[in-house]
Amino acid sequence: MHLFRRRPPAEQDGRPRRLAATVAPASVEVTPRFLRVGDGYAATLVVTGYPAEVGPAWLEPLLSWPGRLDLALYIDPLPAPIAAARLRNQRARFESSRRADAERGKLADPMVEAAADDAADLAARLARGAAKLFRVGLYLTVHARTETELLEACAQVKAAAASTLIEVQPATWRHLAGWTTTLPLATDSLQMRRTMDTAALAAAFPLASADLPAPLPGDPPAQGGVLYGVNPDSQGIVWWDRWAQENHNSVVLARSGAGKSYFVKLEILRNLYQRVQVAVIDPEDEYLRLADAVGGTVVRLGAPGVKINPLDLPTGDRRPDVLTRRGLFLHTLIAVLLGQQPPPAERAALDRAILAAYRQAGITPDPATHHRPAPLLRDLNACLHADNDPAARQLAARLAPWVHGSFSHLFDGSTTTRPDGHLVVWSLRHLPDELRAVGTLLALDAIWRQVDTPDHPHVRRLVVVDEAWLLMRDGEGAKFLFRMSKAARKRHAGLAVITQDVADVLGSDLGQAVVANAATQILLKQAPQAIDAIGDAFGLTAGERRLLLAARVGTGLLISGTNRTSFEAVASDAEHQLCTTRPSELADLDDQEDL
């Protein structure tokens, strides 16, 4: 038995104490079967046997073990020439064993046969460059308060490892080297390695959460997903794939300042890495820094010179009912402009005027005419004036503010900015409050025309509607959002609805339907006045309600059906600079850019 004691830390020549002397334990007692570190006990287990086949997150039973466990994974890549030579020698041994058994008339060993086939497959993938080999060491250090508790904890860890066909052995007489190996020192003092290929090593990374459903046997392995954060209860990683759910929609509900926009920007950035095309409706210019960083397109509705023509036909869409669908949207747009559905006589006059305006522009149901310049809103209004029906002239008078009056600057010209690109941000900040709902509807319509295009049916698209209560409080806008939430899945698209006004969402049938059609539901910090409505709508327990009331910024619940887990959003320094909305941090970033 060896006993190491550390001397009391002391300052030398007025210099501060070294970090190692400050954080090191008072003593380390070494025995053959365990260590006594300070006032606790520790023992190291070495993984010596691995299963023949592994699935995603095969280390999760060990990482989610409820006790204190330090797990260290050492990875050293093998150079291709060395890997090929070792694999060739191993295959030669297998073939030699096969021939020896055949010459003696013995039955083939199934273990040797399986190993030889695996080696041949790995050699083929290695030759094609589809895989690489690594030397991997996996070590576990178990901690406990007493020696008896340590023995029980080691037995539990061995059982957890055995559940995934992993064999572990104690590092007898080498527990000191094992303990230092699992410290964050990047030094493997045990050097008990095993060769793995790329697929097996990638599956070892803990991209799963113990609180979320694991893939069922026979399910195809997960290929996508993004990092949502870390589970503060188990310290496990919360990795979620919205595109693998029954629908691709999500809803984010939180009070102001709870970090909902921060979280959504993180998800957008990480979806862009996977070639997902994203469109954002941004009421407060919170996504402009992100768009500038990734080379996105920004459409500033309401800014001088920015025009949107609601009568534009979808580019490249040659379906025979394009003109009919554009006319139906114009009925919705006019209802939003007027703040109510026009009476039947005015709706009939509007339908006649829409057909007349397109006819005067040379556009008919024939797709060959759809490339011609579309009429403007003033042309539609002129057709209403030309109609002898008093209802048509009444409707034309009601549309005057948007044709010739103070609200006409958005519609009095052809569309100036084409919303194309991998990230398109529709900025609404420059619009007056009276035009916010109209601007949001126009943005949603332009986004839907891209989602519904038949040219690229397999491109994934994410539509983000921030501050959705602005649209929910308008009847026609809420209906449009509901239709998108119902039909997006069939077009490989997902709708993400973000709002801080829970009452506007849960207080209407359409809002509740949008929430019900979201397979991914995110709840961050909630106000006490809204927690009862949230709790009843989502079936929250008393503990979950307390969690949401006291949650830190960026911390909340991920709910999908009957599965739910708490998480805390995490970001790198570069991601944080793109996603933060704190005025002090934004001011510092602007100062750095000026320098």
Side-chain angles (χ1 to χ4, degrees):
M1 180 176 66
H2 305 281
L3 184 64
F4 301 91
R5 292 190 179 276
R6 122 176 123 81
R7 295 179 180 177
E11 295 186 3
Q12 300 177 359
D13 302 329
R15 289 178 296 180
R17 303 168 181 173
R18 293 181 300 171
L19 178 62
T22 303
V23 302
S27 64
V28 177
E29 182 180 344
V30 183
T31 71
R33 299 186 180 279
F34 61 84
L35 294 178
R36 185 173 182 180
V37 183
D39 58 352
Y41 292 79
T44 299
L45 303 175
V46 182
V47 176
T48 57
Y50 295 84
E53 295 183 0
V54 295
W58 56 277
L59 285 180
E60 188 61 26
L62 296 175
L63 294 170
S64 60
W65 184 68
R68 181 185 172 190
L69 175 68
D70 297 333
L71 187 147
L73 184 67
Y74 285 85
I75 304 170
D76 284 334
L78 276 176
I82 297 177
R86 291 186 180 181
L87 194 56
R88 185 167 53 250
N89 294 336
Q90 189 174 10
R91 294 184 64 194
R93 287 195 296 271
F94 289 144
E95 292 299 329
S96 176
S97 177
R98 277 178 166 178
R99 286 195 298 269
D101 290 342
E103 291 173 356
R104 298 190 186 99
K106 296 173 60 177
L107 292 176
D109 186 347
M111 299 296 293
V112 174
E113 292 289 331
D117 293 340
D118 291 342
D121 177 67
L122 180 58
R125 289 189 288 119
L126 193 65
R128 294 193 303 267
K132 294 183 179 180
L133 292 185
F134 302 85
R135 296 287 293 171
V136 178
L138 185 57
Y139 312 103
L140 316 168
T141 296
V142 185
H143 297 266
R145 302 295 301 176
T146 65
E147 184 177 350
T148 303
E149 292 179 1
L150 180 64
L151 294 176
E152 294 177 355
C154 288
Q156 294 175 7
V157 172
K158 289 180 180 179
S163 67
T164 55
L165 303 180
I166 297 175
E167 297 180 6
V168 296
Q169 297 294 334
T172 305
W173 289 108
R174 302 186 66 188
H175 286 287
L176 179 61
W179 175 56
T180 58
T181 297
T182 55
L183 291 176
L185 303 176
T187 301
D188 186 357
S189 303
L190 293 177
Q191 289 295 326
M192 299 183 69
R193 302 294 183 92
R194 174 72 176 268
T195 303
M196 287 189 184
D197 65 345
T198 307
L201 182 58
F205 283 83
L207 303 181
S209 172
D211 300 322
L212 294 176
L216 296 175
D219 286 353
Q223 299 293 333
V226 297
L227 175 66
Y228 268 30
V230 176
N231 188 329
D233 300 324
S234 64
Q235 297 303 312
I237 291 177
V238 179
W239 188 270
W240 188 250
D241 185 6
R242 70 160 62 231
W243 308 104
Q245 310 311 311
E246 58 266 25
N247 65 63
H248 315 318
N249 302 332
S250 67
V251 59
V252 181
L253 302 179
R255 68 183 301 177
S256 178
K260 57 185 183 298
S261 296
Y262 186 95
F263 164 76
V264 172
K265 280 182 276 189
L266 280 178
E267 186 183 12
I268 289 174
L269 187 60
R270 291 163 183 173
N271 270 284
L272 289 173
Y273 297 151
Q274 301 183 11
R275 299 183 179 180
V276 176
Q277 294 187 6
V278 183
V280 182
I281 297 179
D282 181 12
E284 296 296 336
D285 284 358
E286 294 185 90
Y287 297 80
L288 301 189
R289 183 182 294 272
L290 177 61
D292 292 339
V294 302
T297 302
V298 179
V299 183
R300 291 178 170 87
L301 297 180
V306 177
K307 312 291 183 182
I308 295 292
N309 182 13
L311 282 78
D312 281 339
L313 296 179
T315 303
D317 192 346
R318 301 186 63 82
R319 287 174 290 185
D321 62 340
V322 170
L323 194 59
T324 301
R325 287 186 283 112
R326 184 81 324 217
L328 294 175
F329 168 74
L330 290 173
H331 278 274
T332 302
L333 175 68
I334 298 302
V336 173
L337 290 176
L338 300 179
Q340 61 181 359
Q341 193 67 251
E346 292 185 7
R347 288 204 301 270
L350 175 62
D351 198 64
R352 293 194 301 270
I354 291 173
L355 296 177
Y358 279 112
R359 190 164 50 249
Q360 290 178 6
I363 299 174
T364 66
D366 183 6
T369 65
H370 293 177
H371 67 281
R372 296 171 179 170
L376 301 177
L377 189 61
R378 62 169 174 259
D379 299 323
L380 175 63
N381 191 261
C383 291
L384 288 171
H385 275 294
D387 196 323
N388 294 325
D389 189 346
R393 298 184 179 182
Q394 175 67 24
L395 180 59
R398 297 176 66 185
L399 290 177
W402 290 273
V403 177
H404 307 292
S406 55
F407 298 150
S408 62
H409 61 278
L410 185 61
F411 311 105
D412 60 357
S414 301
T415 301
T416 56
T417 305
R418 293 296 176 184
D420 298 324
H422 55 283
L423 174 62
V424 179
V425 176
W426 294 81
S427 170
L428 308 182
R429 187 168 185 175
H430 300 283
L431 285 174
D433 291 341
E434 293 79 5
L435 286 178
R436 283 291 181 98
V438 177
T440 306
L441 184 63
L442 289 174
L444 279 174
D445 171 65
I447 293 169
W448 180 251
R449 282 186 282 169
Q450 287 190 332
V451 169
D452 195 38
T453 179
D455 293 341
H456 305 285
H458 300 298
V459 175
R460 288 178 174 175
R461 291 182 172 90
L462 178 62
V463 181
V464 179
V465 182
D466 205 346
E467 302 298 350
W469 60 272
L470 292 170
L471 200 62
M472 286 293 183
R473 66 185 181 183
D474 178 80
E476 293 300 326
K479 290 179 182 178
F480 193 92
L481 201 61
F482 170 68
R483 289 195 295 269
M484 179 177 286
S485 69
K486 295 281 285 186
R489 179 187 63 85
K490 299 178 182 179
R491 293 160 176 83
H492 295 275
L495 174 66
V497 176
I498 304 101
T499 185
Q500 63 183 5
D501 198 327
V502 178
D504 280 345
V505 176
L506 299 180
S508 66
D509 294 338
L510 289 176
Q512 292 180 7
V514 170
V515 173
N517 279 282
T520 303
Q521 300 164 348
I522 306 295
L523 304 180
L524 302 178
K525 185 179 179 66
Q526 300 295 325
Q529 296 82 0
I531 193 61
D532 289 337
I534 288 286
D536 295 340
F538 293 91
L540 301 181
T541 64
E544 290 170 340
R545 298 186 188 208
R546 289 194 297 270
L547 184 150
L548 295 179
L549 286 174
R552 299 189 302 272
V553 175
T555 301
L557 286 175
L558 165 62
I559 301 175
S560 181
T562 59
N563 303 292
R564 57 189 65 198
T565 181
S566 59
F567 75 96
E568 181 177 2
V570 293
S572 65
D573 291 340
E575 289 175 326
H576 178 75
Q577 292 181 5
L578 296 178
C579 300
T580 183
T581 55
R582 293 180 178 175
S584 58
E585 294 181 352
L586 292 177
D588 293 339
L589 292 174
D590 291 338
D591 292 341
Q592 294 175 8
E593 292 175 358
D594 293 339
L595 294 176

